[in-house]
Every structure is written in structure tokens, then in C-alpha cells.
Amino acid sequence: MRWWPGLILVVIGLVPRAASAELDLTLGGRIQSNIRYRPSETLVGDFYDRRVLADGFARNEHILKLKANATTERFAGIIDVDLVWLGFARTATLDDLSLREVDEPVRIEAQSAYLEGIDLFVEGLDLRVGYQIINWGVADQFNPTNNLNADDLEDRLLFGTQQSNLMARLDYAVTDNITFSGALVPIFRPALLPSSAPLAVGAVDRLPHLDVDFRRRLHAEAAASENFGYPTLVDDALIQLPEPTAENMQFMLRAATVIFEQDLSLSYYYGRSDFPVPIDNFTQQLMGQQCNPSNAMDCIDGTLGTTVTLAYPKMQVTGLNLTGEVDLLGWASESIAPIGYRMEVGVYFPRQQRLAMRQSEIVILGQTRPAGEYAYPDGERPLVLDDTPFAKWTLGLDYTFNEHVYVNVMWVHGLADEFGAGDFFSDGKVVREGGVTSDPDTTNTCALVDQNGDECAREVLRNRIGDYLVAGVDLRFMDGNLLFRMFTILELTGYTEDLYRRSLGRRITNSFSPLSPEGFSAVLFPELSYNFGQGLELAVGALFELGKSYTKFGEAAAGGNVGWFRGVYNF
């Protein structure tokens, strides 16, 4: 990569220098290898729409990180870029074997590339412009007030990482304890998703509509179409990004201070969610019989293929961050250290979003549904996101017992991909599994008779905003060089099943406790690493995702279990 020396020189050359100022240049980096193995395949969908994550080696990634910091007394230029070898050839044809870019794919990830000046015009006024990450959250990895940078979930082992973006950041220190800050983001970036994300598209039963009655009707209609040989599936999911205009710029304001040795900050964000919601469905009928390769009697006559368009809803967020230490038992013994705490709360104000449902002409058993927009029961496009405010937070405690043991415990209310009102404060559910009942005292044919779905629709539901117990422990041995870390996330939300029971003549609700087999969902993340010194560290571990297929961590789109190895050399 011959452009590297030139790029570093450009960064150095952009740093303003007074005649008497001395330039301090620091170069560094890292070499890292990540190897991962998936012990069993993960799949979703029927034979006509099967989506699979194959077993075997799931990641073969090698990273060269290069850093350059050029600083003077008042100015600095920073660059931090990763050169990533993906390790899997994309060879598909004989011609590809002569293309090195196909046989040896490489990508570049810019972590930082910015200029910074301090005490500009007046003392205490600092400016930073360029590609950067602004982390104004205080919680460990789960940060509901960090909305300037889009989430980076491409590597699911790196919880809480974010993507760099072009920003202008201004900080003004009024006193040593009071700082006002602002940041402007001209161009929106969406969240990066893991390779398992496309499996979620196969879950067509997870209807996004807020109206319960409308969902039941759609479940019944989909079941009826499938019974007549035309199942519904998602052919494509399109992304509609905001235009790069002044109207779509994001910004954030923050005020920070220290009160009684506790760090306090208030913030306001205006922008968009970096996770999309559906705004348009277009369904068309595709003719052509298909049969299950494993069962020649299991056939369909065609499909109702849907193209979904996703967009990023606008939102505003007010944030409160508080962090510090509490010395509860210091009076009893000097050997008892203070307990660290972190509180991060974001109150979200989303913009309402409705879904347009359109279709081409559809003919099933001689019955024709005309082309056009769906005949909504109340004449209005259904809501998939309302404007009810909701909160997300992380409350955490951490304690260092001695040089060998460190413990961190958090209550996380809402993960990064959860959006919309619905928790133990307010109503609001998401469909985790849907369709028509398979109870012995009724049959799927009820969907042909009960077009409203009241007597046949079945759903497994969960609050839109989940609750999680996150706990981690570090155990150090051999002068601190050997580290065993166990990290776990236990979902505390619980699930409910809503269905019609014909023997009772009414709908019923079954509740699944988070500790029951039906409601249990968790992540286990053990890791063992050894620091050899002089920059070399090796680590092995595993990621276990547990739960039923409709749960947060048991679903196929979560990616399944994986074992991993990592080697790092810092220089």
C-alpha cells in the first residue's frame, strides 16, 4: 500500500506550527489475527426460502493497525487506520483466479483522521474537525446517550463499538469543573450489522405493525395464502438513507460538571436512529411450482414475494450521565475500597412512522386481488412506530476486590437495536413469533373462515424495550499476566403467548418467566488470555447464545455459538 507514507506526511503537514514550537511525532500500531469457528449451522426459513449460516470457520481476519499522532503545544493531527485482510477468497469463476482483489480481499477501516486545536481565540476553547468517535457516555459498552456515532455490530464479539464519522466538535471549559460542548455531524451513517442479520429477513411472521387487530388479520391472510400454495416471503430489503443535506445534519449539545467529586453531564441530541424501520412493502405474485428436495409431496405453486424498504426515523434524545465512587464501608476498614457506579439515562422522542403496503395483481384459486394499495380497515396506513417517548438506561456497579478480582454488574434497559415505547412503564410489544394456532382443538383452516384472525392468530410477544442483567468478572493470575474473564447477559424481560382457545371460546395469554424454559435467553462469553509482555497477547474463548428460536439471543439472526482465537502484537 504505497499511499501510507504519503498519508502520514499529509497529516503532519496539516498541523499548524509556530516557529518556536517543536513537533512531537508518535508512530505505533498493532498486528492482530482473529480466527472463529461455528460448530453447527444456523438456519431459518422453509425449503423455498432457506437462509443458512454454515458451520466451519466463520472468520479469518487479520488486521494491521497504523497510528500517527503529530502534536505541537496547541495543535495536533491524528490518524488511526486499520488495513484488514478478510482471509476468505471470493472466487466464483475461473477468471476470478487471476484477480488478486478477488482472491485476497482487503478493506480499509478509518478509526480516526482529524485535526485538533486547543485554546483557539480564547483560553479554554478547543476545536476538533475530521473523522472521529465522540464518546460522551459513561456506562461500560452499553451507552444509550451515545447517538452521534452509528453502532458497529459487524463483529458481534466487540460489544458497544461505534463507527467513526466526519464531525466538528467544539469544547469550551468555563472553569476547571464546567465544560460546554457541541458536535455537528453533516452526513448520516447507518449501523453496521453482523453477517447473520439477513437471517432476520426470513422471519416474515414478525409483523412490525402496532395495531394488534390488524396483525391478527394479516396472520390469517398469510396462512390462507400458504394453504392455497402461495407462501409469503421477503425477496429483498432496500435501504433508504437520508439525503446529505443541511436539513438532515445531526447535532448534539452537552454540559458537564463535577459535583462533590461526582461527574455529571446533561445532553441533547437531534438526529436519527441508526437502525431502520419499514416504510414500504411491495408484494408481487411469482408463479412456478417448487418442491421440497427432501419430500416430493411437499410443494408450493409459487410465492408472494415482498420487497421491503427500510428508512431511519428521526428522533431527539435528552441524556443524563452520572459517574463516580461511593465509599460505603470505608469507615469500617481502610482496606475496603470505594464502589464505582455509572448511571446513563436517555429519554427518546421518536417521530411517528407508518408503513405503506402495496401489491401487484394477485390471483389465488380464481380469486383476484387488484393491484394497488392494501385496503386498510380504518383507511389509514398502519403505524410501525409511534411518537410516544421512551427511556433507555444503564445502571452499573463495579468493584476491585484486590489485584486478582474485579467485578462489574449492570442493569441494561434497552439494547442498541431496540427502539420504540414498550416496557414495564408503557404498553408496546414486538412480535417474536407469529402465525395461526396449531392447537389440537382447532386447525389452520380457521384462517380461511375467520378473515379477521381473532379465532386463529397466535403470537409470541415481548416488550419493545428489554431488560438485561449484565455481569462480568475478571480473575488475574501469574502477576496479572493470565486473565480469565467471564461475561454474561441474562434477559429479564419475559415473553407472552397470545392465542385463541376454542374449548374456552376466548383468547388467552400465557406468560413465560425469564427463568422458564420458554422465556430463558442468555449469552455466555468466557475468555482466557495471556500477556507475554513486549506487546504480545494471545487469547481464546467462546460465545454461547442460549434460548428458544423466538428469544433475543436464541434466534438465528443472533448468529449462534462460536469459538474463537485472537493474537495481538502492539508496537
Side-chain angles (χ1 to χ4, degrees):
M1 306 298 289
R2 290 175 293 177
W3 50 269
W4 274 105
L7 182 58
I8 294 175
L9 289 175
V10 167
V11 172
I12 298 172
L14 288 174
V15 179
R17 285 172 288 176
S20 59
E22 293 186 3
L23 177 68
D24 183 11
L25 177 62
T26 303
L27 300 177
R30 182 177 71 235
I31 299 172
Q32 178 173 320
S33 291
N34 298 312
I35 311 296
R36 298 189 195 154
Y37 188 85
R38 185 179 294 112
S40 59
E41 72 175 7
T42 301
L43 56 87
V44 66
D46 214 323
F47 70 91
Y48 50 82
D49 187 33
R50 184 64 50 84
R51 299 165 192 264
V52 181
L53 287 178
D55 57 350
F57 286 98
R59 201 176 191 96
N60 178 23
E61 178 187 73
H62 309 277
I63 302 173
L64 171 62
K65 174 181 284 293
L66 295 176
K67 298 180 181 179
N69 296 352
T71 61
T72 63
E73 183 178 353
R74 294 179 52 207
F75 302 100
I78 311 296
I79 189 166
D80 180 351
V81 181
D82 294 348
L83 187 63
V84 183
W85 284 265
L86 300 182
F88 289 113
R90 297 172 178 169
T91 305
T93 67
L94 182 63
D95 291 341
D96 290 340
L97 294 177
S98 62
L99 300 175
R100 190 176 297 276
E101 62 270 22
V102 175
D103 193 57
E104 191 179 16
V106 179
R107 71 169 183 259
I108 297 174
E109 297 180 9
Q111 308 299 330
S112 299
Y114 61 83
L115 304 177
E116 184 174 32
I118 62 174
D119 295 333
L120 298 178
F121 306 110
V122 296
E123 184 178 356
L125 184 64
D126 304 336
L127 175 65
R128 179 188 295 179
V129 179
Y131 224 61
Q132 57 188 296
I133 293 177
I134 298 179
N135 188 351
W136 281 336
V138 297
D140 186 7
Q141 297 179 307
F142 300 90
N143 304 112
T145 65
N146 262 359
N147 294 293
L148 281 170
N149 294 93
D151 291 281
D152 185 350
L153 306 181
E154 185 274 328
D155 187 347
R156 58 195 176 110
L157 266 61
L158 301 179
F159 299 103
T161 58
Q162 294 184 308
Q163 305 173 68
S164 289
N165 202 355
L166 174 63
M167 301 184 188
R169 170 179 174 173
L170 193 67
D171 298 282
Y172 180 57
V174 180
T175 68
D176 291 340
N177 292 334
I178 300 177
T179 303
F180 294 100
S181 303
L184 181 67
V185 186
I187 300 173
F188 174 83
R189 292 194 71 182
L192 277 178
L193 303 180
S195 59
S196 57
L199 273 67
V201 177
V204 294
D205 57 331
R206 295 186 180 178
L207 301 180
H209 312 83
L210 300 187
D211 188 291
V212 177
D213 293 332
F214 188 51
R215 287 204 310 264
R216 290 173 184 168
R217 175 176 175 171
L218 294 179
H219 284 309
E221 290 180 352
S225 297
E226 185 170 359
N227 285 338
F228 288 132
Y230 288 91
T232 301
L233 54 86
V234 176
D235 283 332
D236 203 0
L238 307 178
I239 296 297
Q240 185 180 98
L241 289 174
E243 295 290 335
T245 63
E247 181 184 0
N248 288 322
M249 290 195 298
Q250 308 161 78
F251 69 87
M252 188 169 180
L253 304 174
R254 176 177 177 264
T257 187
V258 178
I259 301 177
F260 300 114
E261 299 183 353
Q262 313 301 304
D263 294 322
L264 170 68
S265 68
L266 299 173
S267 62
Y268 170 77
Y269 167 80
Y270 178 87
R272 295 177 183 267
S273 168
D274 58 354
F275 286 87
V277 299
I279 62 169
D280 185 86
N281 278 4
F282 180 74
T283 302
Q284 60 181 344
Q285 186 175 24
L286 302 176
M287 304 290 191
Q289 188 181 72
Q290 301 179 52
C291 293
N292 190 339
S294 303
N295 181 4
M297 301 301 293
D298 181 13
C299 300
I300 62 174
D301 295 323
T303 62
L304 300 181
T306 300
T307 297
V308 181
T309 300
L310 305 168
Y312 298 85
K314 285 191 173 183
M315 68 177 187
Q316 302 175 66
V317 183
T318 59
L320 168 66
N321 290 336
L322 185 63
T323 182
E325 294 181 339
V326 177
D327 192 1
L328 296 177
L329 299 176
W331 56 270
S333 172
E334 294 183 357
S335 62
I336 302 178
I339 298 176
Y341 74 90
R342 300 170 187 270
M343 181 176 74
E344 185 170 340
V345 181
V347 180
Y348 291 66
F349 301 86
R351 178 174 292 185
Q352 185 183 95
Q353 185 65 65
R354 294 184 179 271
L355 174 62
M357 302 175 62
R358 302 174 297 113
Q359 65 185 36
S360 63
E361 183 179 83
I362 296 175
V363 181
I364 300 179
L365 289 183
Q367 299 294 319
T368 301
R369 303 180 197 170
E373 194 156 355
Y374 189 92
Y376 311 116
D378 59 1
E380 192 173 18
R381 289 176 176 175
L383 279 171
V384 292
L385 176 67
D386 63 19
D387 55 6
T388 302
F390 63 94
K392 297 169 71 170
W393 63 73
T394 301
L395 306 177
L397 299 174
D398 60 87
Y399 188 76
T400 302
F401 287 89
N402 50 45
E403 66 270 22
H404 302 293
V405 182
Y406 167 81
V407 175
N408 190 328
V409 179
M410 292 181 287
W411 172 19
V412 176
H413 182 72
L415 295 183
D417 63 332
E418 296 173 356
F419 195 74
D423 53 17
F424 50 80
F425 287 128
S426 61
D427 293 332
K429 303 284 188 181
V430 291
V431 181
R432 301 296 302 182
E433 184 176 87
V436 295
T437 181
S438 58
D439 193 53
D441 59 7
T442 186
T443 65
N444 289 354
T445 57
C446 75
L448 308 181
V449 178
D450 176 23
Q451 295 187 11
N452 290 324
D454 292 334
E455 297 185 12
C456 64
R458 171 190 173 272
E459 292 183 326
V460 176
L461 304 165
R462 201 205 75 161
N463 289 340
R464 295 180 75 91
I465 303 297
D467 290 278
Y468 308 86
L469 173 65
V470 181
V473 58
D474 286 355
L475 303 177
R476 293 188 176 274
F477 309 95
M478 301 177 65
D479 296 326
N481 293 319
L482 179 65
L483 169 65
F484 174 74
R485 172 173 292 164
M486 173 60 79
F487 177 79
T488 183
I489 307 176
L490 174 64
E491 185 178 1
L492 304 175
T493 316
Y495 293 77
T496 58
E497 180 187 36
D498 178 75
L499 73 161
Y500 183 84
R501 188 71 74 193
R502 190 168 297 277
S503 59
L504 300 176
R506 60 181 175 86
R507 297 192 68 83
I508 65 170
T509 299
N510 299 318
S511 297
F512 302 143
S513 160
L515 298 181
S516 68
E518 296 81 9
F520 178 77
S521 179
V523 171
L524 295 178
F525 188 19
E527 173 185 354
L528 183 66
S529 64
Y530 188 81
N531 188 341
F532 291 86
Q534 298 182 353
L536 178 62
E537 180 179 312
L538 300 179
V540 295
L543 178 68
F544 301 101
E545 296 181 322
L546 311 173
K548 298 286 188 180
S549 61
Y550 52 76
T551 62
K552 184 72 174 183
F553 302 120
E555 67 170 324
N561 302 332
V562 66
W564 57 270
F565 165 81
R566 181 180 67 243
V568 180
Y569 176 69
N570 295 287
F571 57 90

